[in-house]
Amino acid sequence: LITGLVGFSTAFASMIMGRVAHRFDKMKLMSVLLLIGTVLMITILKYDSIAMILHIENKLVVFFVIYMAFYFIIGGVEPIITSTSALQVEPKDRGALFGLQAMMGSLAWFVAPAIAGPIVYNFPVERVLVFVPIFLGINLVLSYVLRKLMNRIEKKEILLDA
């Protein structure tokens, strides 16, 4: 049930981001979503304290709500990456781009258990959750670097066209 609701949350976020993302700078929006996701995953580490402060007896309800919010926020990142990268290539090359993106996604699904396995095996669940904001933070830094790099490339192209 939880996995199904997480999948629904991610799909719902993708639909909403499709409507919202064109109104804002996509790279900045992606960075904001990654930052919010990082904050949510840091918050989930203290779900039991949050439940106690809110006087909620079932701590898992708090965990689940934060977990769903996390996947809703993070679910908007992939469509932004897909649409942003599609705008960077010629229409005739988009099929190859989408194939490359699908391949990278499949490789990530393939490699993730090899990375997560030793972490899960060697650490308790609470510590495992610490790794998620770390990886999100790395993604946040990489998206910032990529945005700066793209801005430099665009400025050079404008100068060359002038």
Side-chain angles (χ1 to χ4, degrees):
L1 179 66
I2 291 175
T3 304
L5 289 173
V6 165
F8 174 78
S9 179
T10 304
F12 189 63
S14 295
M15 291 185 326
I16 290 175
M17 283 305 140
R19 296 189 181 267
V20 172
H22 72 278
R23 297 181 186 155
F24 302 100
D25 179 326
K26 288 182 174 85
M27 293 300 286
K28 285 183 182 176
L29 180 59
M30 183 178 71
S31 296
V32 168
L33 292 174
L34 286 170
L35 180 62
I36 293 170
T38 303
V39 169
L40 285 170
M41 282 312 288
I42 291 170
T43 304
I44 209 167
L45 297 172
K46 298 293 183 184
Y47 74 94
D48 51 346
S49 300
I50 294 169
M52 193 170 67
I53 291 168
L54 297 175
H55 304 292
I56 298 173
E57 286 187 38
N58 190 346
K59 296 174 187 176
L60 287 179
V61 170
V62 174
F63 179 89
F64 180 69
V65 167
I66 297 170
Y67 193 69
M68 288 291 294
F70 168 76
Y71 273 98
F72 179 78
I73 295 298
I74 294 301
V77 173
E78 185 193 359
I80 292 172
I81 292 170
T82 303
S83 65
T84 302
S85 58
L87 293 173
Q88 303 299 317
V89 299
E90 296 292 324
K92 67 180 180 58
D93 296 328
R94 288 188 184 149
L97 171 69
F98 295 146
L100 179 65
Q101 287 176 324
M103 180 188 72
M104 295 305 292
S106 295
L107 283 173
W109 281 104
F110 174 73
V111 172
I115 294 170
I119 294 170
V120 172
Y121 183 75
N122 291 309
F123 298 102
V125 173
E126 291 79 15
R127 286 229 201 119
V128 170
L129 293 174
V130 170
F131 287 93
V132 177
I134 290 170
F135 286 121
L136 285 172
I138 291 169
N139 278 312
L140 184 61
V141 169
L142 289 175
S143 69
Y144 177 78
V145 170
L146 181 61
R147 186 171 74 234
K148 291 295 183 186
L149 181 65
M150 287 176 56
N151 286 341
R152 284 188 195 152
I153 291 170
E154 287 174 4
K155 286 179 184 177
K156 285 182 183 178
E157 287 176 354
I158 290 172
L159 290 174
L160 290 175
D161 289 341

Short mmCIF file of all heavy atoms in Angstrom, two decimals, residues 95-150:
data_model
loop_
_atom_site.label_atom_id
_atom_site.label_comp_id
_atom_site.label_asym_id
_atom_site.label_seq_id
_atom_site.Cartn_x
_atom_site.Cartn_y
_atom_site.Cartn_z
N GLY A 95 15.13 11.44 -29.61
CA GLY A 95 14.94 10.00 -29.41
C GLY A 95 16.18 9.38 -28.77
O GLY A 95 16.09 8.59 -27.83
N ALA A 96 17.35 9.76 -29.31
CA ALA A 96 18.60 9.26 -28.74
C ALA A 96 18.78 9.77 -27.31
O ALA A 96 19.23 9.02 -26.43
CB ALA A 96 19.79 9.70 -29.61
N LEU A 97 18.41 11.02 -27.07
CA LEU A 97 18.52 11.58 -25.72
C LEU A 97 17.63 10.81 -24.75
O LEU A 97 18.08 10.43 -23.67
CB LEU A 97 18.12 13.06 -25.72
CG LEU A 97 17.99 13.69 -24.33
CD1 LEU A 97 19.36 13.81 -23.67
CD2 LEU A 97 17.30 15.03 -24.43
N PHE A 98 16.37 10.58 -25.13
CA PHE A 98 15.46 9.86 -24.24
C PHE A 98 15.93 8.42 -24.02
O PHE A 98 15.79 7.88 -22.92
CB PHE A 98 14.03 9.90 -24.76
CG PHE A 98 13.45 11.29 -24.78
CD1 PHE A 98 12.56 11.66 -25.78
CD2 PHE A 98 13.79 12.23 -23.82
CE1 PHE A 98 12.02 12.94 -25.81
CE2 PHE A 98 13.26 13.50 -23.84
CZ PHE A 98 12.38 13.87 -24.83
N GLY A 99 16.51 7.81 -25.04
CA GLY A 99 17.09 6.48 -24.89
C GLY A 99 18.25 6.49 -23.92
O GLY A 99 18.38 5.60 -23.06
N LEU A 100 19.11 7.52 -24.02
CA LEU A 100 20.24 7.65 -23.10
C LEU A 100 19.74 7.88 -21.67
O LEU A 100 20.25 7.26 -20.73
CB LEU A 100 21.14 8.81 -23.54
CG LEU A 100 22.35 9.08 -22.67
CD1 LEU A 100 23.32 7.91 -22.71
CD2 LEU A 100 23.05 10.37 -23.13
N GLN A 101 18.72 8.72 -21.51
CA GLN A 101 18.17 8.97 -20.18
C GLN A 101 17.55 7.70 -19.60
O GLN A 101 17.72 7.40 -18.41
CB GLN A 101 17.14 10.09 -20.22
CG GLN A 101 17.76 11.45 -20.41
CD GLN A 101 16.73 12.54 -20.55
OE1 GLN A 101 15.68 12.35 -21.15
NE2 GLN A 101 17.04 13.70 -20.01
N ALA A 102 16.85 6.94 -20.44
CA ALA A 102 16.26 5.68 -19.96
C ALA A 102 17.36 4.70 -19.56
O ALA A 102 17.24 4.00 -18.54
CB ALA A 102 15.36 5.08 -21.04
N MET A 103 18.42 4.66 -20.36
CA MET A 103 19.54 3.77 -20.03
C MET A 103 20.17 4.16 -18.69
O MET A 103 20.46 3.31 -17.85
CB MET A 103 20.60 3.81 -21.12
CG MET A 103 21.79 2.89 -20.83
SD MET A 103 23.15 3.10 -21.98
CE MET A 103 23.81 4.68 -21.48
N MET A 104 20.37 5.45 -18.48
CA MET A 104 20.96 5.92 -17.22
C MET A 104 20.04 5.60 -16.04
O MET A 104 20.51 5.19 -14.98
CB MET A 104 21.25 7.43 -17.28
CG MET A 104 22.31 7.81 -18.29
SD MET A 104 23.87 6.95 -18.07
CE MET A 104 24.43 7.63 -16.54
N GLY A 105 18.74 5.76 -16.23
CA GLY A 105 17.79 5.39 -15.17
C GLY A 105 17.86 3.91 -14.86
O GLY A 105 17.86 3.50 -13.69
N SER A 106 17.93 3.10 -15.90
CA SER A 106 18.02 1.65 -15.70
C SER A 106 19.33 1.27 -15.01
O SER A 106 19.34 0.40 -14.14
CB SER A 106 17.91 0.92 -17.05
OG SER A 106 16.64 1.13 -17.61
N LEU A 107 20.41 1.93 -15.40
CA LEU A 107 21.69 1.67 -14.73
C LEU A 107 21.62 2.05 -13.25
O LEU A 107 22.16 1.35 -12.40
CB LEU A 107 22.82 2.42 -15.42
CG LEU A 107 23.33 1.84 -16.73
CD1 LEU A 107 24.34 2.79 -17.39
CD2 LEU A 107 23.96 0.48 -16.51
N ALA A 108 20.94 3.15 -12.96
CA ALA A 108 20.79 3.56 -11.56
C ALA A 108 20.00 2.52 -10.78
O ALA A 108 20.37 2.17 -9.65
CB ALA A 108 20.11 4.92 -11.48
N TRP A 109 18.92 2.00 -11.38
CA TRP A 109 18.14 0.96 -10.71
C TRP A 109 18.98 -0.30 -10.53
O TRP A 109 18.80 -1.05 -9.57
CB TRP A 109 16.88 0.63 -11.51
CG TRP A 109 15.79 1.62 -11.30
CD1 TRP A 109 15.40 2.61 -12.15
CD2 TRP A 109 14.95 1.74 -10.15
NE1 TRP A 109 14.38 3.33 -11.60
CE2 TRP A 109 14.07 2.82 -10.37
CE3 TRP A 109 14.85 1.04 -8.94
CZ2 TRP A 109 13.12 3.21 -9.44
CZ3 TRP A 109 13.90 1.44 -8.02
CH2 TRP A 109 13.05 2.51 -8.28
N PHE A 110 19.90 -0.55 -11.45
CA PHE A 110 20.77 -1.72 -11.38
C PHE A 110 21.84 -1.55 -10.29
O PHE A 110 22.12 -2.45 -9.52
CB PHE A 110 21.43 -1.94 -12.75
CG PHE A 110 22.46 -3.03 -12.77
CD1 PHE A 110 22.09 -4.36 -12.71
CD2 PHE A 110 23.81 -2.72 -12.86
CE1 PHE A 110 23.03 -5.37 -12.74
CE2 PHE A 110 24.77 -3.73 -12.89
CZ PHE A 110 24.38 -5.05 -12.82
N VAL A 111 22.44 -0.36 -10.22
CA VAL A 111 23.56 -0.11 -9.31
C VAL A 111 23.07 0.19 -7.88
O VAL A 111 23.78 -0.11 -6.92
CB VAL A 111 24.43 1.05 -9.85
CG1 VAL A 111 25.48 1.47 -8.85
CG2 VAL A 111 25.08 0.64 -11.15
N ALA A 112 21.89 0.75 -7.74
CA ALA A 112 21.39 1.17 -6.42
C ALA A 112 21.45 0.06 -5.37
O ALA A 112 21.91 0.30 -4.25
CB ALA A 112 19.98 1.73 -6.54
N PRO A 113 21.01 -1.17 -5.69
CA PRO A 113 21.12 -2.22 -4.66
C PRO A 113 22.56 -2.53 -4.26
O PRO A 113 22.83 -2.85 -3.10
CB PRO A 113 20.46 -3.44 -5.31
CG PRO A 113 19.58 -2.89 -6.37
CD PRO A 113 20.27 -1.64 -6.86
N ALA A 114 23.50 -2.39 -5.20
CA ALA A 114 24.90 -2.65 -4.87
C ALA A 114 25.44 -1.59 -3.92
O ALA A 114 26.29 -1.87 -3.07
CB ALA A 114 25.74 -2.70 -6.14
N ILE A 115 24.94 -0.38 -4.05
CA ILE A 115 25.37 0.69 -3.13
C ILE A 115 24.59 0.60 -1.83
O ILE A 115 25.17 0.70 -0.74
CB ILE A 115 25.15 2.07 -3.79
CG1 ILE A 115 26.07 2.23 -5.01
CG2 ILE A 115 25.38 3.20 -2.79
CD1 ILE A 115 25.78 3.44 -5.85
N ALA A 116 23.29 0.39 -1.93
CA ALA A 116 22.44 0.38 -0.74
C ALA A 116 22.63 -0.88 0.11
O ALA A 116 22.52 -0.82 1.33
CB ALA A 116 20.97 0.52 -1.14
N GLY A 117 22.92 -2.00 -0.53
CA GLY A 117 23.06 -3.26 0.21
C GLY A 117 24.04 -3.19 1.36
O GLY A 117 23.68 -3.49 2.50
N PRO A 118 25.28 -2.80 1.08
CA PRO A 118 26.25 -2.72 2.20
C PRO A 118 25.83 -1.70 3.27
O PRO A 118 26.09 -1.90 4.45
CB PRO A 118 27.55 -2.28 1.51
CG PRO A 118 27.39 -2.68 0.09
CD PRO A 118 25.93 -2.59 -0.21
N ILE A 119 25.21 -0.61 2.85
CA ILE A 119 24.77 0.40 3.82
C ILE A 119 23.70 -0.19 4.72
O ILE A 119 23.77 -0.10 5.95
CB ILE A 119 24.25 1.67 3.10
CG1 ILE A 119 25.39 2.35 2.35
CG2 ILE A 119 23.61 2.63 4.09
CD1 ILE A 119 24.95 3.46 1.41
N VAL A 120 22.69 -0.83 4.13
CA VAL A 120 21.59 -1.41 4.90
C VAL A 120 22.08 -2.56 5.78
O VAL A 120 21.62 -2.72 6.91
CB VAL A 120 20.46 -1.87 3.95
CG1 VAL A 120 19.40 -2.65 4.68
CG2 VAL A 120 19.84 -0.68 3.25
N TYR A 121 22.99 -3.33 5.25
CA TYR A 121 23.50 -4.48 6.00
C TYR A 121 24.31 -4.06 7.22
O TYR A 121 24.28 -4.71 8.25
CB TYR A 121 24.35 -5.36 5.07
CG TYR A 121 24.87 -6.60 5.73
CD1 TYR A 121 24.02 -7.68 5.99
CD2 TYR A 121 26.21 -6.71 6.09
CE1 TYR A 121 24.50 -8.82 6.60
CE2 TYR A 121 26.69 -7.86 6.71
CZ TYR A 121 25.83 -8.91 6.96
OH TYR A 121 26.30 -10.04 7.57
N ASN A 122 25.05 -2.96 7.09
CA ASN A 122 25.97 -2.56 8.14
C ASN A 122 25.44 -1.52 9.12
O ASN A 122 26.08 -1.26 10.14
CB ASN A 122 27.27 -2.04 7.53
CG ASN A 122 28.06 -3.15 6.88
OD1 ASN A 122 28.30 -4.19 7.49
ND2 ASN A 122 28.43 -2.96 5.63
N PHE A 123 24.31 -0.91 8.80
CA PHE A 123 23.80 0.16 9.66
C PHE A 123 22.32 -0.06 9.97
O PHE A 123 21.60 -0.65 9.17
CB PHE A 123 23.95 1.52 8.97
CG PHE A 123 25.37 1.91 8.68
CD1 PHE A 123 25.89 1.79 7.41
CD2 PHE A 123 26.20 2.40 9.68
CE1 PHE A 123 27.20 2.14 7.13
CE2 PHE A 123 27.50 2.76 9.42
CZ PHE A 123 28.00 2.63 8.14
N PRO A 124 21.86 0.45 11.11
CA PRO A 124 20.42 0.37 11.41
C PRO A 124 19.64 1.31 10.48
O PRO A 124 20.20 2.22 9.87
CB PRO A 124 20.32 0.84 12.87
CG PRO A 124 21.59 1.54 13.16
CD PRO A 124 22.62 1.03 12.21
N VAL A 125 18.34 1.08 10.38
CA VAL A 125 17.48 1.83 9.46
C VAL A 125 17.60 3.33 9.66
O VAL A 125 17.64 4.10 8.70
CB VAL A 125 16.00 1.37 9.59
CG1 VAL A 125 15.09 2.26 8.77
CG2 VAL A 125 15.86 -0.07 9.18
N GLU A 126 17.66 3.76 10.91
CA GLU A 126 17.74 5.20 11.17
C GLU A 126 18.98 5.81 10.54
O GLU A 126 18.94 6.92 10.01
CB GLU A 126 17.74 5.47 12.69
CG GLU A 126 16.42 5.17 13.36
CD GLU A 126 16.22 3.68 13.64
OE1 GLU A 126 17.20 2.90 13.57
OE2 GLU A 126 15.07 3.29 13.91
N ARG A 127 20.08 5.08 10.57
CA ARG A 127 21.30 5.60 9.96
C ARG A 127 21.23 5.55 8.45
O ARG A 127 21.82 6.38 7.78
CB ARG A 127 22.51 4.80 10.45
CG ARG A 127 22.88 5.14 11.84
CD ARG A 127 24.37 5.44 11.96
NE ARG A 127 24.75 5.27 13.34
CZ ARG A 127 25.62 4.40 13.78
NH1 ARG A 127 26.25 3.63 12.94
NH2 ARG A 127 25.89 4.30 15.06
N VAL A 128 20.52 4.56 7.93
CA VAL A 128 20.37 4.47 6.47
C VAL A 128 19.68 5.72 5.95
O VAL A 128 20.06 6.26 4.90
CB VAL A 128 19.57 3.20 6.09
CG1 VAL A 128 19.20 3.21 4.62
CG2 VAL A 128 20.38 1.95 6.44
N LEU A 129 18.70 6.20 6.69
CA LEU A 129 17.97 7.40 6.26
C LEU A 129 18.87 8.63 6.21
O LEU A 129 18.56 9.60 5.52
CB LEU A 129 16.77 7.65 7.17
CG LEU A 129 15.65 6.61 7.09
CD1 LEU A 129 14.59 6.89 8.13
CD2 LEU A 129 15.05 6.57 5.70
N VAL A 130 19.98 8.62 6.92
CA VAL A 130 20.93 9.73 6.88
C VAL A 130 21.58 9.85 5.51
O VAL A 130 21.90 10.95 5.06
CB VAL A 130 22.00 9.56 7.98
CG1 VAL A 130 23.13 10.56 7.83
CG2 VAL A 130 21.37 9.67 9.36
N PHE A 131 21.74 8.72 4.83
CA PHE A 131 22.41 8.74 3.53
C PHE A 131 21.58 9.44 2.46
O PHE A 131 22.13 10.00 1.53
CB PHE A 131 22.77 7.31 3.09
CG PHE A 131 23.92 6.74 3.85
CD1 PHE A 131 23.71 5.96 4.99
CD2 PHE A 131 25.22 6.97 3.44
CE1 PHE A 131 24.77 5.43 5.69
CE2 PHE A 131 26.30 6.45 4.15
CZ PHE A 131 26.07 5.68 5.28
N VAL A 132 20.26 9.41 2.58
CA VAL A 132 19.40 10.03 1.57
C VAL A 132 19.65 11.54 1.48
O VAL A 132 19.89 12.06 0.39
CB VAL A 132 17.91 9.70 1.81
CG1 VAL A 132 17.03 10.42 0.81
CG2 VAL A 132 17.69 8.20 1.74
N PRO A 133 19.61 12.29 2.60
CA PRO A 133 19.91 13.72 2.46
C PRO A 133 21.35 13.99 2.00
O PRO A 133 21.60 14.99 1.32
CB PRO A 133 19.66 14.31 3.84
CG PRO A 133 19.40 13.20 4.76
CD PRO A 133 19.18 11.96 3.96
N ILE A 134 22.26 13.09 2.32
CA ILE A 134 23.64 13.27 1.83
C ILE A 134 23.66 13.19 0.31
O ILE A 134 24.23 14.06 -0.36
CB ILE A 134 24.59 12.22 2.46
CG1 ILE A 134 24.77 12.52 3.95
CG2 ILE A 134 25.93 12.18 1.73
CD1 ILE A 134 25.49 11.44 4.72
N PHE A 135 23.01 12.16 -0.25
CA PHE A 135 22.97 12.03 -1.71
C PHE A 135 22.17 13.16 -2.35
O PHE A 135 22.53 13.64 -3.43
CB PHE A 135 22.42 10.66 -2.12
CG PHE A 135 23.40 9.54 -1.89
CD1 PHE A 135 23.07 8.47 -1.07
CD2 PHE A 135 24.64 9.53 -2.50
CE1 PHE A 135 23.97 7.44 -0.85
CE2 PHE A 135 25.55 8.50 -2.30
CZ PHE A 135 25.22 7.46 -1.46
N LEU A 136 21.11 13.60 -1.70
CA LEU A 136 20.35 14.74 -2.22
C LEU A 136 21.19 16.01 -2.19
O LEU A 136 21.13 16.83 -3.11
CB LEU A 136 19.06 14.95 -1.43
CG LEU A 136 17.95 13.95 -1.71
CD1 LEU A 136 16.81 14.16 -0.72
CD2 LEU A 136 17.46 14.07 -3.13
N GLY A 137 21.98 16.17 -1.14
CA GLY A 137 22.88 17.33 -1.07
C GLY A 137 23.89 17.31 -2.20
O GLY A 137 24.19 18.35 -2.80
N ILE A 138 24.41 16.13 -2.50
CA ILE A 138 25.34 16.00 -3.62
C ILE A 138 24.64 16.39 -4.92
O ILE A 138 25.20 17.12 -5.74
CB ILE A 138 25.91 14.57 -3.69
CG1 ILE A 138 26.84 14.30 -2.51
CG2 ILE A 138 26.63 14.32 -5.02
CD1 ILE A 138 27.23 12.85 -2.33
N ASN A 139 23.41 15.93 -5.11
CA ASN A 139 22.64 16.30 -6.30
C ASN A 139 22.40 17.80 -6.36
O ASN A 139 22.42 18.41 -7.43
CB ASN A 139 21.30 15.56 -6.34
CG ASN A 139 21.45 14.17 -6.89
OD1 ASN A 139 22.07 13.99 -7.93
ND2 ASN A 139 20.89 13.20 -6.20
N LEU A 140 22.13 18.39 -5.21
CA LEU A 140 21.90 19.84 -5.15
C LEU A 140 23.14 20.60 -5.60
O LEU A 140 23.06 21.53 -6.41
CB LEU A 140 21.49 20.23 -3.73
CG LEU A 140 21.11 21.68 -3.49
CD1 LEU A 140 19.91 22.07 -4.34
CD2 LEU A 140 20.79 21.89 -2.02
N VAL A 141 24.30 20.19 -5.10
CA VAL A 141 25.56 20.84 -5.49
C VAL A 141 25.81 20.64 -6.99
O VAL A 141 26.17 21.59 -7.70
CB VAL A 141 26.74 20.30 -4.65
CG1 VAL A 141 28.07 20.76 -5.22
CG2 VAL A 141 26.59 20.74 -3.21
N LEU A 142 25.60 19.42 -7.48
CA LEU A 142 25.81 19.15 -8.90
C LEU A 142 24.85 19.96 -9.78
O LEU A 142 25.24 20.45 -10.84
CB LEU A 142 25.66 17.66 -9.19
CG LEU A 142 26.77 16.76 -8.66
CD1 LEU A 142 26.45 15.30 -8.90
CD2 LEU A 142 28.12 17.12 -9.27
N SER A 143 23.60 20.11 -9.35
CA SER A 143 22.65 20.91 -10.14
C SER A 143 23.06 22.38 -10.16
O SER A 143 22.91 23.06 -11.17
CB SER A 143 21.23 20.75 -9.63
OG SER A 143 21.07 21.36 -8.37
N TYR A 144 23.61 22.87 -9.05
CA TYR A 144 24.10 24.25 -8.99
C TYR A 144 25.27 24.43 -9.96
O TYR A 144 25.31 25.40 -10.73
CB TYR A 144 24.51 24.60 -7.56
CG TYR A 144 25.09 25.99 -7.44
CD1 TYR A 144 24.26 27.11 -7.42
CD2 TYR A 144 26.47 26.18 -7.35
CE1 TYR A 144 24.80 28.39 -7.31
CE2 TYR A 144 27.01 27.45 -7.24
CZ TYR A 144 26.17 28.55 -7.23
OH TYR A 144 26.70 29.81 -7.13
N VAL A 145 26.22 23.50 -9.93
CA VAL A 145 27.37 23.57 -10.82
C VAL A 145 26.90 23.49 -12.28
O VAL A 145 27.37 24.26 -13.13
CB VAL A 145 28.38 22.45 -10.50
CG1 VAL A 145 29.46 22.33 -11.56
CG2 VAL A 145 28.99 22.68 -9.13
N LEU A 146 25.97 22.60 -12.57
CA LEU A 146 25.45 22.47 -13.92
C LEU A 146 24.75 23.74 -14.38
O LEU A 146 24.92 24.19 -15.51
CB LEU A 146 24.48 21.28 -14.00
CG LEU A 146 23.86 20.99 -15.37
CD1 LEU A 146 24.95 20.66 -16.38
CD2 LEU A 146 22.86 19.87 -15.27
N ARG A 147 23.99 24.37 -13.49
CA ARG A 147 23.29 25.61 -13.83
C ARG A 147 24.30 26.70 -14.16
O ARG A 147 24.15 27.43 -15.14
CB ARG A 147 22.37 26.03 -12.70
CG ARG A 147 21.51 27.23 -13.07
CD ARG A 147 20.44 27.55 -12.05
NE ARG A 147 21.03 28.16 -10.88
CZ ARG A 147 20.87 27.72 -9.63
NH1 ARG A 147 20.13 26.66 -9.39
NH2 ARG A 147 21.42 28.35 -8.61
N LYS A 148 25.37 26.81 -13.37
CA LYS A 148 26.42 27.81 -13.63
C LYS A 148 27.10 27.53 -14.97
O LYS A 148 27.37 28.44 -15.75
CB LYS A 148 27.45 27.83 -12.50
CG LYS A 148 26.91 28.38 -11.21
CD LYS A 148 26.55 29.83 -11.37
CE LYS A 148 26.08 30.42 -10.07
NZ LYS A 148 25.60 31.78 -10.21
N LEU A 149 27.38 26.26 -15.23
CA LEU A 149 28.01 25.87 -16.48
C LEU A 149 27.12 26.21 -17.67
O LEU A 149 27.58 26.75 -18.68
CB LEU A 149 28.35 24.38 -16.46
CG LEU A 149 29.06 23.82 -17.69
CD1 LEU A 149 30.43 24.45 -17.84
CD2 LEU A 149 29.17 22.31 -17.57
N MET A 150 25.83 25.92 -17.54
CA MET A 150 24.89 26.23 -18.63
C MET A 150 24.80 27.73 -18.86
O MET A 150 24.72 28.19 -20.00
CB MET A 150 23.52 25.64 -18.33
CG MET A 150 23.47 24.14 -18.49
SD MET A 150 21.88 23.40 -18.02
CE MET A 150 20.75 24.29 -19.05
#
